[in-house]
Amino acid sequence: MKRIAVFTVYDKDGVLYAYRRHILKELRAVADRVIVVCNGPMEPGSKKALYEMADEVFFRTNSGYDAFAYKYALEEAVGWAKLEQYDELLLMNDSFYGPFWLMADILEEMAERDADFWGLTAQPPMANTFGSAYFYRELPYHIQTYFLVVRDRLLHAPAFCRFWDTLEPVNGFTDAVTKFELRFTAFFQKEGFLAASYVDCACMEQEKTENRLPYIMYEPYEMIKEHHCPILKRKCFTMPYSDILQYSVGQDAKRALEFISRHTDYDEGMIWEHLIRTVEPGKLQQALHLSFILPSAYTSKKDRSKTHKTAVIAHVNYPELLEECFAYLCRVPARIDLYITTKSLDIKKKLEEKFYSRGRLNVKVRMIGDRGREIRGMLIECADVFREYEYVGYVHDKRTAGNAGEAKIGEIYRSLLWDNMLKSSAYINNALALLEENTHIGLLAPPEPYHGNYFRYLGQEWTQNYQTTCELASRLKLQCVLEEDCPPFVLGTTFWCKSRALAPLIDFGFSENDFEEEPLGLDGTINHAIERIFQYAAQSQGYASGIVMNDAFASDYFEDYHCMLNGVLSEFRKTEKYCTLRECMEFGDTEALKEFCGRYKSVYVYGTGSYAAILTDILRNLKVDWQGYVVSEGHRTKNRWKGRPVCLLSEIEKERREVGLILALDKIHQAEVLPALREKDFTNIYRV
């Protein structure tokens, strides 16, 4: 058998990550000819690797998703005449990690199956949950097109060429699904060709269509463990977490990664590498549940950290807190060196006396200058500590809560920081062992505060510091992902780390002049930017970051969060009737919605999917009148829905100046629809 393979690649930074090289290696082992189509440029090293691993490499603009990259390969890069020389065609994109088992074995097993085309996975018919008028009411059975194998009977049939000839332009994700993926299977089945999938999709199938899920996205662990699915989709780690919580507690991505590590020969480090480099650190922490609860009464694992050089740096600024800080620092195991910074000669003298009288001689107390507070002590006076030691813990005292108000709030915040850093010798051993065991994690920080007025900052952790943090990241030349709508989860300037994870900060060479003079502003200073930069510095160094807490604190934390959530929902439910987190998040501002509807003579809901159904109930509860629903040309399947007319966009175009449109679509499809609406001069738009 003579086989040709087409592999499509897109990377915004032009990097051929290791997981892509693995796919190419597997293709190289089974294909006589390997063609790579890049939807965009590649950096020089990656381009060189591509030319070494593939027979031919082609570059095109990033348009039309994988559908038009495949089309380009077949029609232009290879050509129909040359395809006649081959018995089998593989079409594959880079949207997955794997395969976890040899591709040769997969192809050999499928050779026994009677099919003209097949894929690794197929989606059974399911209800349209996308909330977009572009989709069918029910999504049909289809082979998922990230991996397609086309055999000779179809490959050399006129219908195969005709499919690509009639492929409509693809201008977004919705188009890619409806015009390519959903159409592909149906088109060829209608022509009499047989489809199959490596994973038996019937094993996941629920009896009722409305109960079915996109299994490859929402149940990857079961797909891999129970049904030998050889791949894991990248979107399992990047899809909105509120979507995942529609069906589960978000455990699948982490379990799938653990299973791959323990039960396959696939190097899961390739997955970690790509995720760490390309996913916002907070999103990755959430997707992989990188929150660790460690015992404080005993060492849970063999303490291998004894073989490494470890130091703890502590800043002690307030005389009235000296005894408290000293008690915590006495819990640090004797093998760990202590460095203490302070601005007070009296504190320096007292701490030295206390430690030396106990025979603790590996303690150094360093004086620091006035500007920059504890952060300058870390980055200037103790920069050498990070260079000398492999592991470093950093903690500082805190007397008040800054702009949060009462002193008690600051006291509890201080306890949160120190207890989750230095709870006990056993706890410290456990934290260091965790860092050593998890080679991909470079930074562990206590959870952020939630008590008192800190509650209002949950989800608003950037405060006034997003732009200053971006500017600092640029100064440090960090290769990281900062997103304004995804605030940092590492706050408080307290952490355990692998020192190399913070090398960009340490090696920058901060001086006193980099810090503002006192009195320091309550927000927006370089200190506040540095406080938020740690997880991004770690990302730039190739590390993920996580949350760490002791078992006793975790019990309190869980109980308090449960209480707060109940309190918020109790108030919310007085006016709203949502059932899921996603509904609360995406339809919460009903006052603004009501105000929008009152501005216009006519109001229409754009869409007739699940979002529109939820929005219909909201409008009725608000006692808002609306004229009906709107769908795009060619997507009207009924004239009335929910008791109201369904119009085409063209039918209300003449009155567009007096029409208010409410987009009942998810964020992805809103982004696709908006340009078309603006092109038709619809400007009165409300985005839920």
Side-chain angles (χ1 to χ4, degrees):
M1 175 184 288
K2 196 172 182 184
R3 183 181 290 129
I4 184 171
V6 174
F7 181 48
T8 71
V9 175
Y10 169 71
D11 188 273
K12 67 181 183 64
D13 299 315
V15 178
L16 189 70
Y17 285 99
Y19 89 91
R20 293 184 175 119
R21 299 184 190 218
H22 176 78
I23 294 173
L24 274 170
K25 180 182 176 183
E26 288 295 298
L27 282 177
R28 183 78 279 171
V30 299
D32 298 279
R33 185 180 178 193
V34 176
I35 307 293
V36 175
V37 178
C38 299
N39 279 357
M42 302 294 285
E43 56 90 21
S46 295
K47 185 183 291 188
K48 180 182 178 183
L50 280 173
Y51 280 117
E52 290 173 350
M53 301 182 76
D55 294 298
E56 293 177 88
V57 181
F58 299 90
F59 295 88
R60 60 187 295 274
T61 59
N62 182 29
S63 60
Y65 284 67
D66 56 347
F68 272 76
Y70 292 156
K71 179 179 170 69
Y72 170 84
L74 299 176
E75 295 180 346
E76 300 183 47
V78 180
W80 296 114
K82 288 186 179 179
L83 278 176
E84 291 291 332
Q85 304 171 14
Y86 296 93
D87 305 301
E88 194 165 85
L89 167 69
L90 272 70
L91 297 173
M92 196 179 312
N93 66 32
D94 62 351
S95 66
F96 65 89
Y97 302 115
F100 309 131
W101 298 280
L102 292 176
M103 195 175 293
D105 292 344
I106 295 170
L107 291 170
E108 182 179 350
E109 181 177 336
M110 288 302 293
E112 305 299 319
R113 301 279 295 276
D114 186 15
D116 298 305
F117 65 101
W118 60 274
L120 292 178
T121 55
Q123 176 61 45
M126 61 174 285
N128 171 19
T129 59
F130 295 93
S132 171
Y134 284 110
F135 282 98
Y136 309 96
R137 284 179 53 77
E138 180 178 291
L139 303 183
Y141 164 87
H142 59 282
I143 303 297
Q144 292 167 314
T145 53
Y146 64 88
F147 183 106
L148 289 168
V149 176
V150 181
R151 291 178 175 162
D152 57 351
R153 192 170 87 91
L154 174 56
L155 180 61
H156 302 139
F160 190 64
C161 182
R162 189 166 68 252
F163 172 85
W164 299 100
D165 280 344
T166 56
L167 182 63
E168 296 180 34
V170 168
N171 297 312
F173 174 76
T174 304
D175 275 1
V177 173
T178 55
K179 295 177 180 178
F180 176 54
E181 181 160 288
L182 292 178
R183 178 174 176 254
F184 191 93
T185 302
F187 183 94
F188 294 117
Q189 284 183 324
K190 188 176 180 180
E191 294 284 336
F193 295 97
L194 299 177
S197 64
Y198 178 72
V199 177
D200 180 10
C201 64
C203 64
M204 304 291 291
E205 195 169 332
Q206 298 292 323
E207 183 178 350
K208 292 183 178 180
T209 303
E210 60 267 26
N211 291 336
R212 297 171 186 167
L213 303 174
Y215 301 111
I216 196 171
M217 302 300 298
Y218 289 98
E219 298 192 63
Y221 173 67
E222 184 176 348
M223 291 278 285
I224 296 170
K225 179 177 181 290
E226 302 295 337
H227 307 297
H228 209 64
C229 181
I231 63 94
L232 177 61
K233 291 287 282 184
R234 284 166 32 188
K235 277 190 177 180
C236 291
F237 301 95
T238 59
M239 60 195 297
Y241 201 68
S242 59
D243 288 0
I244 296 172
L245 293 182
Q246 293 267 88
Y247 308 106
S248 72
V249 296
Q251 76 280 18
D252 263 61
K254 180 179 181 179
R255 288 183 181 180
L257 193 55
E258 289 173 346
F259 182 86
I260 293 163
S261 173
R262 294 171 183 169
H263 301 286
T264 77
D265 293 329
Y266 186 85
D267 178 9
E268 83 280 4
M270 295 186 288
I271 300 177
W272 278 100
E273 177 204 25
H274 182 252
L275 290 174
I276 290 170
R277 291 294 187 186
T278 60
V279 179
E280 196 282 330
K283 290 181 179 178
L284 183 59
Q285 187 270 335
Q286 189 176 64
L288 286 175
H289 293 187
L290 300 179
S291 294
F292 304 95
I293 299 171
L294 304 178
S296 51
Y298 60 91
T299 300
S300 59
K301 298 175 182 178
K302 185 177 179 181
D303 183 18
R304 291 173 295 175
S305 60
K306 292 180 181 179
T307 60
H308 301 283
K309 291 192 69 176
T310 304
V312 167
I313 306 172
H315 180 72
V316 181
N317 186 57
Y318 302 107
E320 64 270 31
L321 299 180
L322 186 148
E323 291 297 334
E324 181 182 328
C325 294
F326 176 72
Y328 272 109
L329 293 172
C330 285
R331 301 172 186 177
V332 176
R335 72 179 185 281
I336 296 177
D337 294 338
L338 275 175
Y339 292 83
I340 303 170
T341 62
T342 184
K343 292 191 293 183
S344 167
L345 281 170
D346 187 55
I347 289 176
K348 179 179 187 295
K349 180 180 177 182
K350 288 179 178 178
L351 284 173
E352 288 174 340
E353 288 175 352
K354 283 176 171 292
F355 280 112
Y356 297 160
S357 67
R358 291 186 172 216
R360 184 74 183 261
L361 303 180
N362 60 336
V363 178
K364 296 180 181 179
V365 184
R366 296 180 174 181
M367 298 294 296
I368 68 169
D370 289 331
R371 288 170 65 171
R373 300 186 180 180
E374 80 281 355
I375 290 179
R376 65 85 49 79
M378 178 205 306
L379 299 180
I380 298 177
E381 281 82 3
C382 287
D384 62 314
V385 178
F386 286 88
R387 297 188 183 101
E388 182 179 350
Y389 293 84
E390 187 172 0
Y391 296 122
V392 175
Y394 183 83
V395 68
H396 63 92
D397 60 1
K398 191 173 185 65
R399 185 177 58 182
T400 66
N403 58 1
E406 301 175 4
K408 182 64 176 179
I409 298 174
E411 178 185 331
I412 299 302
Y413 192 1
R414 181 172 70 253
S415 175
L416 179 156
L417 297 177
W418 288 73
D419 258 10
N420 289 305
M421 281 290 296
L422 308 176
K423 178 68 174 176
S424 66
S425 294
Y427 178 77
I428 293 169
N429 289 336
N430 292 333
L432 292 169
L434 174 63
L435 272 178
E436 183 177 26
E437 273 188 12
N438 291 269
T439 58
H440 306 293
I441 297 176
L443 185 77
L444 294 169
E448 63 180 299
Y450 51 77
H451 60 287
N453 289 341
Y454 284 114
F455 178 78
R456 65 181 175 180
Y457 295 116
L458 295 181
Q460 307 292 327
E461 290 85 355
W462 283 123
T463 58
Q464 300 176 32
N465 299 287
Y466 175 69
Q467 192 56 45
T468 55
T469 307
C470 288
E471 291 168 1
L472 177 60
S474 179
R475 287 178 64 193
L476 298 175
K477 295 181 171 56
L478 300 185
Q479 300 297 313
C480 62
V481 182
L482 287 94
E483 298 177 3
E484 191 166 9
D485 62 352
C486 190
F489 66 92
V490 175
L491 296 170
T493 326
T494 302
F495 52 81
W496 286 104
C497 75
K498 292 168 181 164
S499 56
R500 56 185 175 273
L502 298 185
L505 265 172
I506 304 306
D507 295 339
F508 178 75
F510 283 94
S511 70
E512 185 174 89
N513 293 331
D514 288 307
F515 299 94
E516 290 92 339
E517 293 183 358
E518 297 288 348
L520 196 64
L522 292 177
D523 207 1
T525 71
I526 190 170
N527 284 54
H528 294 95
I530 291 172
E531 183 181 2
R532 289 160 172 79
I533 204 71
F534 295 107
Q535 65 198 62
Y536 305 106
Q539 180 184 35
S540 187
Q541 292 293 99
Y543 291 106
S545 299
I547 294 294
V548 65
M549 63 185 89
N550 69 70
D551 43 10
F553 179 85
S555 175
D556 296 337
Y557 205 66
F558 171 81
E559 201 61 48
D560 293 348
Y561 256 116
H562 190 262
C563 175
M564 290 188 294
L565 181 61
N566 279 347
V568 170
L569 287 177
S570 293
E571 290 300 311
F572 195 65
R573 289 184 183 125
K574 290 178 181 179
T575 55
E576 314 297 351
K577 298 180 180 179
Y578 307 144
C579 298
T580 68
L581 174 66
R582 181 178 176 182
E583 292 171 15
C584 293
M585 291 173 64
E586 301 194 359
F587 298 98
D589 194 0
T590 54
E591 285 303 314
L593 175 62
K594 187 174 183 178
E595 190 273 333
F596 174 85
C597 294
R599 291 187 220 157
Y600 303 104
K601 180 180 178 181
S602 302
V603 175
Y604 288 87
V605 174
Y606 189 104
T608 55
S610 60
Y611 271 56
I614 297 168
L615 193 61
T616 296
D617 291 337
I618 294 171
L619 293 174
R620 285 174 177 159
N621 289 337
L622 292 173
K623 295 181 171 54
V624 168
D625 190 27
W626 76 104
Q627 278 55 54
Y629 304 89
V630 177
V631 296
S632 298
E633 308 303 309
H635 291 275
R636 180 164 59 187
T637 59
K638 59 177 71 174
N639 292 323
R640 294 186 69 81
W641 189 65
K642 300 284 186 181
R644 309 229 173 190
V646 178
C647 305
L648 296 175
L649 196 61
S650 59
E651 293 173 347
I652 64 169
E653 196 167 356
K654 289 183 180 179
E655 52 179 316
R656 59 183 175 272
R657 296 295 184 190
E658 298 178 331
V659 167
L661 280 182
I662 307 171
L663 298 191
L665 312 171
D666 62 31
K667 297 297 187 289
I668 294 174
H669 300 115
Q670 283 187 22
E672 295 173 358
V673 166
L674 278 168
L677 291 177
R678 288 168 179 154
E679 186 178 338
K680 293 181 179 295
D681 208 21
F682 282 90
T683 56
N684 307 323
I685 299 170
Y686 186 91
R687 301 169 64 180
V688 296

